[in-house]
Amino acid sequence: MKPFLNSVLNRPESAASMPLPFVHLHLHTEYSLVDSTIRIKQLLQRVRELRMPAIAVTDQHNLFSLVKFYQAAEQTGIKPIVGADVLVRSPEDPTSLSRLVLLCQNRIGYLNLCRLLSKAYLEGQQHGVAQCEPGWIAQYAEGLIALSGGYEGEIGQALLNNHPNRARQLLQASMRIFPDRFYVEIQRTGRDKEKRVEAQLLDLAALSSCPVVASNDV
C-alpha cells in the first residue's frame, strides 16, 4: 500500500492539477449482515466508473466475500485490498468494545488475519458476536496495516470520554504493535461524534508523527 501512497505524493508537477485518486479502505458489503447491502459486482462497477485504482473490503469480523471479491476485482482491473473490521474488548472493561480496521499487507498478514478471526469466533464470542482480545491483536500483528477506527476506535473513544492522555498512550502503544503500519483514521460522514474528535485526533497524530488516512465508513 505504501508504494501506491508514495506514487500519489510524488507526482510530477504536470500532474499537480489532476485530482488525487481516492481509495476506500473501510467498506462493508452484504457479507456484513444487517450492516450493509452493497453487492460485490455493483461495487466494482461503481469503482470502475469513478476510476478508482483500488478498493478494500473490510467486512465485520469475516472474510466471507474474499474469493468472490478478489476474482471480480482482478477481472475488472481493480486492485483488491483484503481486510476486516474487528471488535476489540477493553482490558479494563470486557463489556466495552472498540473498532479496528485491519488490512493485509502481504501473505503473512493474510494468514495472521485468518488466525485472528478464527480465534475470535472460537474463543471470543459474546452473545453471538466475535470479539478480539488486545493480546491477540499484538500476537498476530505482523503483515497487517491497522486503521484506528475513527471515533469508534479505542483512541477516539478515549477522546470522547475526555481522556486525552489515555488516547495518547493508546496511540503510542498501537504504533509499537504496528511499526510504520498504524494510521489515525479520520471520517467525515456528518456524524456529531466525528466532529467532536477530529481536531484532537489530528493533533495527536501530529504530535506522535503518526500518518493519517481518510475513510468513509461505507
Side-chain angles (χ1 to χ4, degrees):
M1 187 173 300
K2 280 197 171 185
F4 169 74
L5 293 176
N6 289 336
S7 69
V8 172
L9 294 174
N10 297 322
R11 295 181 306 161
E13 291 185 9
S14 60
S17 60
M18 297 174 61
L20 289 172
F22 183 81
V23 174
H24 282 292
L25 297 177
H26 190 162
L27 184 146
H28 298 163
T29 73
E30 61 182 321
Y31 290 89
S32 291
L33 299 180
V34 308
D35 184 76
S36 176
T37 59
I38 298 174
R39 296 179 181 272
I40 299 296
K41 184 177 180 180
Q42 286 82 355
L43 167 67
L44 291 169
Q45 287 176 344
R46 183 61 175 154
V47 168
R48 188 174 185 179
E49 289 172 3
L50 295 173
R51 298 184 181 180
M52 293 179 175
I55 190 75
V57 166
T58 58
D59 280 313
Q60 292 182 323
H61 256 298
N62 77 73
L63 294 172
F64 301 156
S65 69
L66 175 58
V67 173
K68 185 176 182 180
F69 164 59
Y70 203 93
Q71 292 177 344
E74 289 200 322
Q75 291 171 4
T76 315
I78 304 297
K79 178 180 174 61
I81 301 171
V82 177
D85 187 345
V86 301
L87 294 175
V88 185
R89 280 199 287 261
S90 167
E92 292 83 12
D93 180 6
T95 64
S96 177
L97 300 175
S98 61
R99 195 170 296 280
L100 184 69
V101 179
L102 298 174
L103 305 172
C104 299
Q105 186 179 34
N106 49 36
R107 184 175 184 273
I108 293 174
Y110 166 69
L111 293 175
N112 275 334
L113 183 57
C114 290
R115 296 184 183 107
L116 183 62
L117 294 177
S118 296
K119 196 172 183 69
Y121 275 103
L122 292 172
E123 302 177 29
Q125 282 202 60
Q126 295 289 334
H127 306 292
V129 178
Q131 302 170 13
C132 295
E133 297 283 354
W136 303 348
I137 301 292
Q139 180 181 357
Y140 298 112
E142 185 181 357
L144 292 173
I145 295 168
L147 313 185
S148 68
Y151 77 87
E152 293 182 298
E154 60 177 359
I155 299 168
Q157 289 186 8
L159 293 174
L160 286 172
N161 292 320
N162 297 314
H163 297 304
N165 291 334
R166 171 69 174 158
R168 177 176 52 82
Q169 293 169 1
L170 290 168
L171 174 56
Q172 292 173 351
S174 295
M175 292 176 70
R176 289 192 294 270
I177 294 171
F178 299 96
D180 298 319
R181 292 177 283 115
F182 187 80
Y183 291 76
V184 169
E185 185 178 2
I186 300 295
Q187 299 170 342
R188 293 177 178 172
T189 63
R191 295 173 289 194
D192 179 64
K193 290 181 179 180
E194 293 171 348
K195 299 174 184 177
R196 285 169 55 190
V197 300
E198 180 177 311
Q200 295 178 83
L201 283 173
L202 291 173
D203 287 343
L204 272 179
L207 289 171
S208 302
S209 299
C210 182
V212 176
V213 66
S215 75
N216 204 32
D217 194 16
V218 183

